[in-house]
Amino acid sequence: ELTHVAKAMPMGVGLDENNVLGPLQNKAQYDIVANLVDAARDSGARILLGGNPDPDQPGYFYPTTLVADIDNTNPLVTEEQFGPALPIIRYTTIDEAVQMANALDVGLGASVWSPNLPAAREVAARIQAGTVWINKHGAVDPRVPFGGAKQSGYGLEFGVEGLKHLGVPQVING
């Protein structure tokens, strides 16, 4: 089912408001994503979708990529790749999934997917990440603080808390 959703995700130039995904920021970022996907494939992970960029396409458009049968210690899982490559990791229990997520050194964002919202909120509260979305991912609202946990950046942006991180108070006494 996830493959059908990912395959239907429109990718292209950002000037077209129908596109959901655009190009990666630069060649260096493109190479990071490509190298991580290639290394995952070489380690035995299975590419369900994407993973083979079109060398003739202009720009740094890396195709939406789903990677299954991948170990939780694979760099595609443990490193923040900031690209459209999604590793799919098997787990048996919710406790195991939370433990694997929290074992990572990074924690910018995470998502919990479930039709049971109270249960999803309970799981979300256990995940060590700056933002945990429920039944969506990456929805950033400038009115709400956004920032990472652990080794994922520093400070906050957006919202009142984000504005407080941009300023340095000065007291003049006298």
Side-chain angles (χ1 to χ4, degrees):
E1 191 63 32
L2 182 58
T3 303
H4 295 295
V5 171
K7 197 180 290 187
M9 203 58 49
M11 177 184 283
V13 177
L15 296 174
D16 181 346
E17 64 185 45
N18 295 315
N19 289 326
V20 175
L21 299 171
L24 295 172
Q25 180 183 15
N26 54 43
K27 175 87 166 98
Q29 191 60 45
Y30 181 94
D31 290 343
I32 288 169
V33 175
N35 291 336
L36 287 170
V37 171
D38 289 345
R41 181 188 291 116
D42 293 346
S43 76
R46 186 167 47 104
I47 308 297
L48 300 177
L49 177 70
N52 294 309
D54 179 358
D56 296 328
Q57 182 176 15
Y60 301 117
F61 291 93
Y62 194 87
T64 304
T65 301
L66 300 179
V67 182
D69 303 326
I70 187 168
D71 186 83
N72 195 47
T73 61
N74 188 288
L76 184 62
V77 176
T78 63
E79 295 179 20
E80 291 179 318
Q81 41 109 350
F82 299 107
L86 179 67
I88 301 168
I89 302 147
R90 293 181 187 269
Y91 64 92
T92 304
T93 66
I94 297 295
D95 288 340
E96 179 187 11
V98 169
Q99 184 277 328
M100 286 190 294
N102 289 343
L104 297 173
D105 292 333
V106 293
L108 182 59
S111 54
V112 175
W113 298 81
S114 173
N116 183 333
L117 290 180
R121 286 186 185 107
E122 285 181 24
V123 173
R126 296 172 56 196
I127 295 176
Q128 299 167 357
T131 299
V132 182
W133 292 276
I134 296 177
N135 295 332
K136 57 186 163 188
H137 191 84
V140 177
D141 182 329
R143 299 168 296 175
V144 178
F146 180 76
K150 305 179 196 179
Q151 299 299 312
S152 292
Y154 57 92
L156 293 170
E157 57 184 327
F158 304 137
V160 173
E161 290 303 315
L163 289 172
K164 287 180 182 178
H165 279 95
L166 292 176
V168 177
Q170 178 188 36
V171 175
I172 298 175
N173 189 345

